[in-house]
Amino acid sequence: MMDKDLAALIDKLDPRLRDAFRAAIEALRRGINFLALETALRAGDIDAAIDALNIERAAFSGYVLEKQAGFAEAGAFASEELTKSRRAAPKRDTTKFPSITSPIIPPPADPPSPPTLVAPGGGDIQFRFDMTNPRAENRIRTEAALRVEGYTVEQIETARRVIADGFQKGQGPQTIATDIAGRINPISGRREGGIIGLSDPQVGYVESMRARLQSGDPDEMMKVLGSFDKEGKWKPGTGLTRRDRRYDPEIKRAIAAIAKGKPNPLTADRIDEMTAKYSDRLLARRAEDIARTETASGVEMARAEATRQALDKAGLPSEALTKGWIHQGGTENARDQHLAMNGKEIVGIDTNFLLPDGTLMLFPHDPAGGAKHNANCRCRGEQRIDWAYGL
C-alpha cells in the first residue's frame, strides 16, 4: 500500500509548503524599501535599486524548514511501511538437519554466516528513518539550498529586466518602482500585484495584459478575454485564463466604446488594479505548482533514502530492490516521455531510469529531471524489496 499512501502523504504536505512559499514572498514584499527603490531609479542606479528590493535567501527560512519537516515525515512514513513489508515477508526456514561432512575436505573453522531474515538475537528488524544520517542531511540541505538560490537569483534577474525595459520605454521611476513592488491596498495595507514572486514568463503575461488594455485597440484588448475560431465561435480556455473575471464586463464595455470611436474609458489606475489582481492570481498558481512539484520530489527523495537505510540495516545489496515507474493523471496533456515509461521496471537502488529523451532519473520526481520532467508531474514510483535476496 505504500505507493498509494505516499500519494496521500503528498496531498497532506502540499498545502504546508505552498503556504510557506507564499509567506516567503510576502516577507520579500514587506521588505522592499520603496523610497530607496524610487530614489535609485531616479539616479539611474540599477544596482542600488536591486539592493532596495532586499531580495535575500533568509526570507525563505520558513520554506526551507517546511521542506526539511516534510522530508523527515515522509522518511519516517516510508520506514514504517518498509518495516511492515519486511515483517510480512516469508521467514527463513531455520529447521536443523543432520550435517553431512566430507571425510576428505574438513569444514572451515569459522564458516560465514548466511543471510537471514531475522534480526541478530532474534525478533524482527525495526526500520527507523535517521535524519542525522550524513547522506540524508546532505541531500535535503543541498536540495533546499539549490531551490532557494534559484528563487532569489530569478527574482533579481527578472527585476533587472523589468527596470531595463521600463527605462527603454521611457517610463518614470515611480511607475517602474510600482510595477516591481506592487501597489498598497488602502483597505488591507498590503502590497498587491508587482512582480516579486513571479516567474519570468509570468511577468511577461502581466506586462502583456497591461499593454493590451492600454493599447486602445479592440482586437488587442479582446485577447485579454479570449478569441473566436474561424467560424466565429468562442474558443474556451483562451485569453489570460488566470485573470480576475469580475473585470470582464468592464473590459467588454471599454472595447465596445472604442469600437464606436470613443476614447479608452479604462484609466491608468483601473488598469493597474486589474493587472495587480492578475499578478496575485498568477502568484497563487505558482505557489501551487511549486508546492506540488517540490513536495512530490521531497517525498520520493525521502523514500529513496529510507530504502537505502533499510537495505543497509538488513544487510541487503542494491540489487534486492526493484523499482517501477507508474504514469498517472490520464493521457490528456500528458508528457509523451512519461507515457512511454509507464510500467517500466529496473533493478537496483542506484540504477537510473532512462527516459526516451536520454534523461536519467533515479525515480519519478528526481530533481535530476528538471522542470521539464517534474513540473506538475503526477507520476509515482513503485518499489519491491526481495527480503530473501541471497538466501
Side-chain angles (χ1 to χ4, degrees):
M1 289 294 292
M2 178 164 66
D3 301 309
K4 293 183 179 179
D5 290 340
L6 280 176
L9 180 61
I10 291 172
D11 291 338
K12 172 188 173 183
L13 298 176
D14 183 337
R16 288 163 31 182
L17 194 62
R18 177 200 64 206
D19 293 344
F21 181 82
R22 290 294 299 270
I25 299 305
E26 184 62 28
L28 286 178
R29 287 182 170 184
R30 289 196 308 269
I32 295 174
N33 187 333
F34 191 85
L35 179 59
L37 173 61
E38 188 175 354
T39 299
L41 292 173
R42 290 189 185 283
D45 191 340
I46 295 180
D47 288 337
I50 295 298
D51 289 341
L53 293 176
N54 290 316
I55 299 174
E56 299 174 329
R57 287 175 294 181
F60 290 90
S61 295
Y63 171 83
V64 171
L65 290 175
E66 193 57 57
K67 279 184 69 72
Q68 292 173 336
F71 185 79
E73 187 169 342
F77 173 82
S79 292
E80 290 177 4
E81 293 300 309
L82 286 165
T83 298
K84 294 176 183 178
S85 169
R86 164 65 185 76
R87 287 174 177 170
K91 298 297 185 292
R92 177 173 178 262
D93 187 356
T94 58
T95 302
K96 292 186 177 181
F97 296 96
S99 61
I100 301 176
T101 59
S102 167
I104 301 176
I105 305 176
D110 189 15
S113 300
T116 178
L117 284 178
V118 295
D124 288 319
I125 292 178
Q126 173 72 43
F127 299 120
R128 298 184 179 88
F129 189 64
D130 183 8
M131 271 291 287
T132 66
N133 181 294
R135 181 182 57 219
E137 282 187 323
N138 181 68
R139 186 65 191 268
I140 186 59
R141 182 174 59 250
T142 301
E143 180 62 23
L146 286 173
R147 289 288 173 263
V148 171
E149 180 68 15
Y151 295 145
T152 53
V153 169
E154 173 193 55
Q155 294 301 298
I156 291 173
E157 291 179 348
T158 300
R160 284 186 181 277
R161 183 185 66 75
V162 171
I163 291 172
D165 289 348
F167 282 141
Q168 187 175 13
K169 295 174 183 176
Q171 295 175 339
Q174 185 176 25
T175 298
I176 298 174
T178 306
D179 286 346
I180 294 174
R183 291 147 181 81
I184 298 293
N185 185 309
I187 298 177
S188 66
R190 296 174 58 253
R191 288 199 176 275
E192 295 181 344
I195 66 159
I196 301 300
L198 300 181
S199 66
D200 193 63
Q202 287 180 322
V203 172
Y205 301 154
V206 174
E207 293 173 338
S208 175
M209 181 179 191
R210 177 178 285 109
R212 285 171 174 164
L213 294 178
Q214 291 174 338
S215 70
D217 182 335
D219 290 336
E220 287 298 311
M221 296 174 73
M222 180 58 72
K223 291 178 181 178
V224 172
L225 305 178
S227 60
F228 297 90
D229 61 21
K230 295 180 180 179
E231 298 177 355
K233 295 181 180 180
W234 184 255
K235 295 167 63 177
T238 57
L240 303 178
T241 56
R242 300 295 293 187
R243 69 185 184 279
D244 189 331
R245 296 175 187 272
R246 292 175 296 180
Y247 294 108
D248 285 6
E250 187 174 353
I251 296 174
K252 291 177 181 178
R253 289 194 296 270
I255 292 173
I258 295 171
K260 294 178 181 178
K262 297 180 180 180
N264 189 349
L266 296 179
T267 64
D269 287 342
R270 195 60 169 168
I271 292 174
D272 287 344
E273 181 181 330
M274 293 177 180
T275 54
K277 293 294 185 184
Y278 180 49
S279 175
D280 286 345
R281 284 170 172 250
L282 288 175
L283 178 59
R285 173 58 184 272
R286 189 181 192 206
E288 293 169 359
D289 291 345
I290 284 176
R292 184 70 194 183
T293 302
E294 295 300 318
T295 299
S297 177
V299 166
E300 288 289 352
M301 282 196 303
R303 174 163 73 163
E305 176 57 34
T307 302
R308 287 178 184 276
Q309 293 182 14
L311 291 175
D312 289 345
K313 186 168 185 177
L316 292 172
S318 169
E319 294 73 25
L321 175 71
T322 299
K323 302 186 293 187
W325 187 300
I326 304 300
H327 171 75
Q328 292 190 144
T331 57
E332 185 177 357
N333 298 321
R335 292 173 169 90
D336 292 337
Q337 306 274 335
H338 295 191
L339 286 172
M341 294 301 296
N342 187 43
K344 299 289 186 183
E345 289 191 344
I346 55 177
V347 174
I349 195 169
D350 294 313
T351 305
N352 283 291
F353 287 97
L354 175 61
L355 279 70
D357 66 353
T359 300
L360 296 174
M361 299 175 68
L362 285 171
F363 43 78
H365 309 290
D366 182 354
K372 175 182 178 181
H373 287 291
N374 291 330
N376 284 316
C377 174
R378 297 282 174 169
C379 294
R380 64 180 175 86
E382 284 190 341
Q383 63 178 34
R384 300 187 309 276
I385 295 179
D386 179 3
W387 297 108
Y389 187 90
L391 293 181

